[in-house]
Amino acid sequence: AQTVTQSQPEMSVQEAETVTLSCTYDTSENNYYLFWYKQPPSRQMILVIRQEAYKQQNATENRFSVNFQKAAKSFSLKISDSQLGDTAMYFCAFMKRPGNQFYFGTGTSLTVIP
Amino acid sequence: EAGVAQSPRYKIIEKRQSVAFWCNPISGHATLYWYQQILGQGPKLLIQFQNNGVVDDSQLPKDRFSAERLKGVDSTLKIQPAKLEDSAVYLCASSSPPGTSGGGGETQYFGPGTRLLVL
């Protein structure tokens, strides 16, 4: 079975600063994807960034980047130049192939402080 | 492109009553997921459809929950009878067929969710 662990229930960061959210996962699969999703208060879940396990290069999307350590089964999210709109719950997710089943962590609540 | 639609957005019922949620995925998306998200937790997969077939329903409490996707497009999730612990947000998500260029299969798109309160 696949498990996703987010060990930081809550975090805060000053506006314009950088913050890193941690995620570890456990799997025996070789073909999988990893994701970070953002869920703002009372709003729907949206994709932040995704990483294909077979790619060594870390994914980057504007201010968001990941540090993917496959051997350590670690997948952290770095948010640079934090903005007030980044305040949200952040979920790490794992998807295995074939089948495309998704497994989510318990989330990290991030607050950006003005 | 229209997103994933869900209705109703909110529902309040008493325990032992029944309730149904509806989801219309993004056009062309073959895979549809229903999740239960209890307050303060991550989404838990209830059931996954590929077209109108069930891929995974291992975490669906089948004694009270049922879901269908008869024509391989929209889907309905039903709870009968509801319990207090069913209070949660029910999320629907869809993804395009695996292998589709530009993020196919690997990326889920979520609807706004249905918030259920069981009294």
Side-chain angles (χ1 to χ4, degrees):
Chain A
Q2 279 61 233
T3 58
V4 179
T5 302
Q6 294 180 250
S7 58
Q8 305 153 314
E10 296 182 358
M11 294 191 72
S12 61
V13 61
Q14 289 291 138
E15 193 175 5
E17 296 294 308
T18 296
V19 63
T20 299
L21 280 57
S22 301
C23 173
T24 59
Y25 60 96
D26 188 22
T27 184
S28 57
E29 305 286 338
N30 287 316
N31 187 6
Y32 57 89
Y33 287 75
L34 295 161
F35 304 82
W36 279 98
Y37 278 88
K38 169 185 177 181
Q39 189 175 42
S42 301
R43 294 180 61 186
Q44 66 194 77
M45 189 109 62
I46 58 174
L47 177 69
V48 174
I49 197 166
R50 71 173 193 176
Q51 174 79 41
E52 297 158 69
Y54 63 87
K55 288 188 176 179
Q56 292 186 335
Q57 186 174 5
N58 290 324
T60 300
E61 288 287 342
N62 300 314
R63 298 183 294 108
F64 300 89
S65 62
V66 298
N67 183 5
F68 174 46
Q69 302 290 327
K70 190 172 184 178
K73 296 180 181 175
S74 171
F75 183 63
S76 60
L77 174 70
K78 186 172 82 171
I79 305 174
S80 303
D81 186 26
S82 297
Q83 300 176 359
L84 297 179
D86 296 333
T87 293
M89 281 289 288
Y90 286 81
F91 292 97
C92 180
F94 169 100
M95 186 201 80
K96 74 179 188 74
R97 282 287 188 92
N100 289 16
Q101 283 96 349
F102 276 79
Y103 303 86
F104 283 82
T106 51
T108 295
S109 177
L110 176 68
T111 300
V112 179
I113 302 167
Chain B
E1 177 181 77
V4 177
Q6 289 188 247
S7 68
R9 293 294 308 276
Y10 305 92
K11 191 74 177 179
I12 300 174
I13 61 173
E14 295 186 350
K15 60 182 179 182
R16 292 188 289 273
Q17 287 187 324
S18 62
V19 64
F21 312 128
W22 174 82
C23 172
N24 190 32
I26 293 173
S27 178
H29 280 195
T31 309
L32 186 148
Y33 307 80
W34 282 104
Y35 291 92
Q36 180 192 58
Q37 186 177 20
I38 293 173
L39 186 65
Q41 299 181 18
K44 182 184 84 170
L45 179 68
L46 292 175
I47 189 167
Q48 176 185 347
F49 291 96
Q50 181 74 19
N51 296 308
N52 60 351
V54 176
V55 174
D56 184 353
D57 64 355
S58 57
Q59 298 191 89
L60 185 73
K62 298 180 184 66
D63 58 334
R64 299 184 301 105
F65 286 65
S66 64
E68 60 184 14
R69 194 185 184 199
L70 293 177
K71 297 182 179 179
V73 181
D74 55 352
S75 176
T76 303
L77 176 70
K78 297 179 181 179
I79 307 175
Q80 181 179 13
K83 293 185 175 181
L84 297 178
E85 58 261 36
D86 298 332
S87 294
V89 175
Y90 290 84
L91 298 169
C92 180
S94 70
S95 64
S96 53
T100 304
S101 62
E106 303 86 15
T107 301
Q108 292 183 102
Y109 297 87
F110 283 84
T114 296
R115 190 174 299 273
L116 174 67
L117 178 61
V118 182
L119 302 175

